[in-house]
Amino acid sequence: DTGVSQNPRHKITKRGQNVTFRCDPISEHNRLYWYRQTLGQGPEFLTYFQNEAQLEKSRLLSDRFSAERPKGSFSTLEIQRTEQGDSAMYLCASSGSGVNTEAFFGQGTRLTVV
Amino acid sequence: AQTVTQSQPEMSVQEAETVTLSCTYDTSENNYYLFWYKQPPSRQMILVIRQEAYKQQNATENRFSVNFQKAAKSFSLKISDSQLGDTAMYFCAFRLEWGGSEKLVFGKGTKLTVNP
C-alpha cells in the first residue's frame, strides 16, 4: 500500500461545471476525512466518514457539495455548479481505529475554477 | 470556540541551528491530542510529532520536541540541528472528538525556511 491516493492531482474547470474527485485511503483504514485548504490557510474540515457512514458535515459543505464512501472503501467528493470561490486544494486523509491513531494525508487535488 | 493560533507566518533559520515554532489553542475539552504536521512544497502533509494532553511529559521524536503547557494552552515545536529538508509549512493541530465524530482543527501554519 503506497498511502492515500487522490485523483486527479489538478483540475481546471469552467464556472458552473460539475467536478468529482476521488480518494483511495490506506486499505485497512476505516476513517476518512475531507479537508479544504486555500492559499495561506490551514486545512479546514469538510466531512468525516467512519466506514461507509458519513458522520459529520461541516457548514462549509454547501448544498452543492456531496461526498460518498460506498462500501467503506474509496470516497468521492462532488462539487456541482462550481464557483470561483471553490478554487482550493482538496485534501483527503484516512486513519485506523483507536484513540491514538495518526491521520495520513494524500497529496490533494488542486481545483481551479475559471 | 475550538481554535488554533500560529502567530509566526514565516520564520527562517540557518542550517544546524535550532528554531522554535509557537502554537496556542483554545478548547473546552480536557482530553485531546495535539499534533504538528509538516507540508513540504508540493508534497503531502506528514505527521511530525504528537502529544496526548493527559501526559505531562513532552513528546520527542529525534530532532523534534515539543513544549506542552496545558494550563497556558501552548504547544510549541522545537527543531534542533535544522536541515535543508526541514524547509516546509508547519501546521499545529488538535483532534476534536464528539459523539462518534472527529476532526483535526488546524492553525494557519508557519512557513519555515532553512538556509544553507
Side-chain angles (χ1 to χ4, degrees):
Chain A
D1 198 335
T2 55
V4 179
S5 176
Q6 290 189 247
N7 289 288
R9 293 287 309 281
H10 303 274
K11 179 71 177 178
I12 299 175
T13 190
K14 291 184 178 179
R15 189 173 50 186
Q17 297 294 305
N18 299 343
V19 293
T20 299
F21 311 142
R22 177 179 171 122
C23 171
D24 287 273
I26 293 172
S27 57
E28 63 267 26
H29 285 180
N30 64 334
R31 301 174 182 179
L32 187 143
Y33 319 78
W34 284 98
Y35 290 85
R36 181 171 70 188
Q37 186 178 20
T38 54
L39 202 60
Q41 302 292 320
E44 295 174 292
F45 172 78
L46 292 179
T47 190
Y48 165 65
F49 288 87
Q50 191 168 94
N51 300 310
E52 66 275 9
Q54 186 176 23
L55 298 185
E56 188 68 23
K57 289 172 58 174
S58 163
R59 279 171 286 183
L60 292 174
L61 222 59
S62 74
D63 292 344
R64 297 184 296 105
F65 288 71
S66 63
E68 295 183 342
R69 192 183 182 197
K71 302 178 184 177
S73 55
F74 71 92
S75 176
T76 58
L77 178 67
E78 181 183 16
I79 309 175
Q80 296 182 326
R81 305 181 302 283
T82 52
E83 302 172 356
Q84 287 189 321
D86 297 331
S87 295
M89 176 75 84
Y90 290 84
L91 299 171
C92 176
S94 71
S95 69
S97 302
V99 296
N100 193 22
T101 55
E102 172 186 348
F104 291 82
F105 283 80
Q107 289 188 288
T109 295
R110 180 167 296 283
L111 173 66
T112 303
V113 182
V114 297
Chain B
Q2 318 280 358
T3 58
V4 176
T5 301
Q6 294 180 250
S7 59
Q8 305 149 316
E10 292 191 40
M11 292 193 74
S12 62
V13 63
Q14 292 299 121
E15 197 175 4
E17 294 187 348
T18 295
V19 64
T20 298
L21 309 183
S22 65
C23 172
T24 58
Y25 60 93
D26 185 21
T27 179
S28 54
E29 301 297 315
N30 193 44
N31 291 323
Y32 48 88
Y33 294 84
L34 293 159
F35 305 86
W36 278 97
Y37 278 89
K38 170 186 177 181
Q39 188 177 40
S42 301
R43 297 188 63 185
Q44 66 209 85
M45 201 167 317
I46 57 174
L47 180 67
V48 174
I49 197 167
R50 85 186 85 185
Q51 173 81 41
E52 291 93 332
Y54 63 88
K55 288 187 176 179
Q56 291 186 335
Q57 186 174 6
N58 290 324
T60 299
E61 289 286 343
N62 301 314
R63 298 182 296 107
F64 300 88
S65 62
V66 299
N67 183 4
F68 175 47
Q69 302 290 328
K70 190 172 183 179
K73 295 182 179 176
S74 171
F75 183 60
S76 61
L77 174 70
K78 185 171 81 172
I79 306 174
S80 303
D81 186 25
S82 297
Q83 300 176 359
L84 297 178
D86 295 334
T87 293
M89 285 292 292
Y90 286 82
F91 293 97
C92 176
F94 73 85
R95 187 164 73 206
L96 181 63
E97 300 176 2
W98 75 103
S101 293
E102 61 173 74
K103 67 179 181 182
L104 289 170
V105 178
F106 287 87
K108 290 187 176 183
T110 296
K111 183 179 180 181
L112 177 66
T113 301
V114 180
N115 298 309

